[in-house]
Amino acid sequence: MGDASTPRPSCVPLTCHGHSRPVPHISFSPLENQDIYYMISACKDGNPMLRDGQTGDWIGTFLGHKGAVWQGRLSPDATTAATASADFTAKVWDTHTGELLYVLQHDHIVRAVAYPFEQSRMLATGGFEKKLRIFDLQEQPPTSEGTASPITITTSQAFEIGEGVHTHPIKFIVWAKDPSVLITASGDTLRWFDLPTRQCTRAIKLEAEIKSCELVSLAPSHSAPTDIGGGQPVLAVAAGKTAYFWGGLKAQDELKQFKLSHGIASVGLDLKGRKFVVGEDPGTWAHVYSWEDGKELDVHKGHHGPIWSIAFSPDGNLYATGSEDGTIKMWKNCEGFYGLWRGGAPGSSTD
């Protein structure tokens, strides 16, 4: 055993192949029965993929986009997936059959999609139109199974939040645990919106363009008051050389910010393990830092391109990194046996 103060050697990651272009975004579903969960990966090849969250095993590919897919998210009940694409659409898919359920038609590239924290029939979208919209899928239930045509919903059937507020493309949307609060990342500015009034209630200009903005949470069965954020979800944001974190039901209580020595392309947060992981920019490494003092704990090498997205599983036992190199790597974050890892500490080899 080495000195606890020295960084431990990186664990051997699982590598998920299958994409032919860069992977700009990955995200996990909530935890389901028997501790099952899923991962969706967006890809510039236009073919988002659904995988088993623990093992990375391929389940299926959602076929139908005609341009790069920038973002993908799974609904709170994991029955649908939403994808944002350069083909001027967001699409909603059935995760069990792979069937396309809805086409949300836009007038420019769609970069961001978000479900409410606990509501699977609403969807927020944003992109190069610089408009934050809400689509209510409950108003247009899909046709009965076996009839193939997806439902097309135009932007005129959605409602806009914060009209005229955004001056740059919307790259990320987060729905706070409080369902009346939406947060957008656009250019170098984070904005909080109140859904009932459709107004922007707060805007914070960060040091540079926002590269990553995600709400991090653990499944209720795995969260505790001693976690970062006191058991509530935490907003994790990367801009310039700084990682920012906000907590609370509205994700607007500043918890901490860490100024690093290098640029940050992405950030993930280990709520229980009290550490955060960033993708360096420029570069291909992931750096692990202590939440308590910002000290570097580990470096993960293995990707051959920048890491654009980092996501922790809903049980916190692993995290995944999505890269420009077209691969996803999954890193063990617990003791003992888990998924395809045979055992040992989180810093140990699987050999």
Side-chain angles (χ1 to χ4, degrees):
M1 295 288 288
D3 189 320
S5 66
T6 61
R8 291 189 295 185
S10 296
C11 62
V12 174
L14 306 175
T15 301
C16 306
H17 298 281
H19 286 302
S20 60
R21 297 284 312 282
V23 176
H25 189 255
I26 51 174
S27 64
F28 287 101
S29 75
L31 206 60
E32 298 214 302
N33 294 334
Q34 289 85 47
D35 286 349
I36 294 168
Y37 58 92
Y38 304 96
M39 176 173 63
I40 187 170
S41 54
C43 185
K44 291 186 182 179
D45 62 13
N47 298 319
M49 290 184 178
L50 183 69
R51 297 177 183 272
D52 180 289
Q54 270 196 33
T55 65
D57 290 343
W58 178 85
I59 294 172
T61 301
F62 299 110
L63 298 172
H65 277 298
K66 294 179 171 61
V69 175
W70 284 100
Q71 219 169 84
R73 297 193 188 276
L74 292 157
S75 63
D77 63 10
T79 61
T80 64
T83 50
S85 175
D87 65 10
F88 292 19
T89 71
K91 295 187 190 308
V92 179
W93 314 80
D94 184 312
T95 53
H96 298 293
T97 66
E99 178 187 3
L100 177 59
L101 301 176
Y102 297 96
V103 177
L104 311 182
Q105 193 64 54
H106 292 68
D107 297 320
H108 211 319
I109 292 166
V110 187
R111 285 292 300 261
V113 287
Y115 288 96
F117 202 77
E118 294 176 335
Q119 224 282 39
S120 296
R121 302 293 172 259
M122 299 274 284
L123 194 70
T125 68
F128 277 62
E129 289 182 76
K130 306 171 189 172
K131 294 179 179 181
L132 173 62
R133 293 189 177 98
I134 308 293
F135 290 83
D136 186 352
L137 305 180
Q138 293 177 111
E139 292 185 353
Q140 309 216 26
T143 50
S144 59
E145 288 185 34
T147 55
S149 297
I151 296 171
T152 297
I153 305 178
T154 64
T155 52
S156 64
Q157 295 168 273
F159 56 94
E160 188 177 347
I161 307 295
E163 188 173 344
V165 167
H166 294 95
T167 56
H168 292 84
I170 298 169
K171 300 289 184 68
F172 295 90
I173 303 169
V174 164
W175 220 305
K177 191 168 185 184
D178 179 337
S180 68
V181 177
L182 280 158
I183 301 136
T184 62
S186 171
D188 61 4
T189 304
L190 271 183
R191 293 181 176 89
W192 282 257
F193 293 87
D194 177 63
L195 199 54
T197 63
R198 305 191 189 186
Q199 299 299 310
C200 179
T201 58
R202 186 184 189 193
I204 299 178
K205 186 180 172 71
L206 304 184
E207 70 174 61
E209 180 186 358
I210 297 166
K211 296 290 186 72
S212 177
C213 175
E214 300 286 339
L215 191 69
V216 182
S217 64
L218 284 169
S221 58
H222 289 263
S223 61
T226 52
D227 297 345
I228 296 170
Q232 298 291 348
V234 173
L235 182 69
V237 179
K241 295 182 177 181
T242 303
Y244 304 82
F245 302 95
W246 284 269
L249 290 176
K250 299 178 186 292
Q252 62 182 14
D253 306 331
E254 185 172 323
L255 300 177
K256 280 193 178 187
Q257 54 178 274
F258 294 90
K259 180 89 169 184
L260 304 179
S261 61
H262 55 82
I264 309 173
S266 53
V267 60
L269 179 62
D270 183 355
L271 297 170
K272 196 165 291 292
R274 306 186 74 82
K275 60 181 181 288
F276 62 99
V277 185
V278 303
E280 62 182 14
D281 184 26
T284 63
W285 297 354
H287 298 260
V288 184
Y289 292 98
S290 165
W291 173 263
E292 310 306 337
D293 56 13
K295 183 177 180 180
E296 185 171 274
L297 303 174
D298 204 350
V299 179
H300 294 323
K301 305 174 184 181
H303 280 297
H304 301 288
I307 296 167
W308 298 125
S309 185
I310 300 173
F312 275 80
S313 63
D315 60 8
N317 286 333
L318 64 80
Y319 51 96
T321 51
S323 170
E324 180 76 14
D325 66 16
T327 70
I328 301 154
K329 292 187 183 295
M330 299 169 70
W331 309 83
K332 188 183 176 200
N333 191 47
C334 61
E335 306 284 340
F337 293 84
Y338 189 76
L340 298 180
W341 288 282
R342 289 216 308 256
S348 69
S349 167
T350 55
D351 291 339

